[in-house]
Amino acid sequence: MQTVYLNGGISQFGERWETSCTNIGNIFKLIDCQTPGFRQYLVQAAEAGVDFQIQRGEELLSEPEELLLDLR
């Protein structure tokens, strides 16, 4: 089981998620399926030049391929 924390403006879609998803891409799909407006928020933020950081423990993920890594 993974615990996912959303901070800042994106936390309007829930601050804490419990999931058995094994990669970050699937976590985003899960949140998108369960919260109206999540995908639109991400698209609008990207268009406005807003950057997001993804942290796994103490490690900041920076490369797109890291989003597909197995989190187990």
Side-chain angles (χ1 to χ4, degrees), residues 31-50:
I31 297 171
D32 181 44
C33 288
Q34 296 193 23
T35 55
F38 182 73
R39 182 184 304 248
Q40 181 180 1
Y41 176 86
L42 292 178
V43 169
Q44 288 176 341
E47 289 172 350
V50 174

Side-chain angles (χ1 to χ4, degrees), residues 37-64:
F38 182 73
R39 182 184 304 248
Q40 181 180 1
Y41 176 86
L42 292 178
V43 169
Q44 288 176 341
E47 289 172 350
V50 174
D51 289 326
F52 294 95
Q53 287 185 328
I54 298 175
Q55 184 174 346
R56 179 177 182 224
E58 297 294 319
E59 175 186 15
L60 290 177
L61 303 181
S62 59
E63 299 300 321

Side-chain angles (χ1 to χ4, degrees), residues 10 12 22 24 29 42 46 54 70 72:
I10 200 169
Q12 67 183 298
T22 58
I24 294 168
K29 287 179 188 177
L42 292 178
I54 298 175
D70 192 335
R72 291 179 276 176

Side-chain angles (χ1 to χ4, degrees), residues 22-24 56 61 65-72:
T22 58
N23 68 52
I24 294 168
R56 179 177 182 224
L61 303 181
E65 58 271 8
E66 289 179 320
L67 300 180
L68 301 176
L69 291 177
D70 192 335
L71 296 175
R72 291 179 276 176

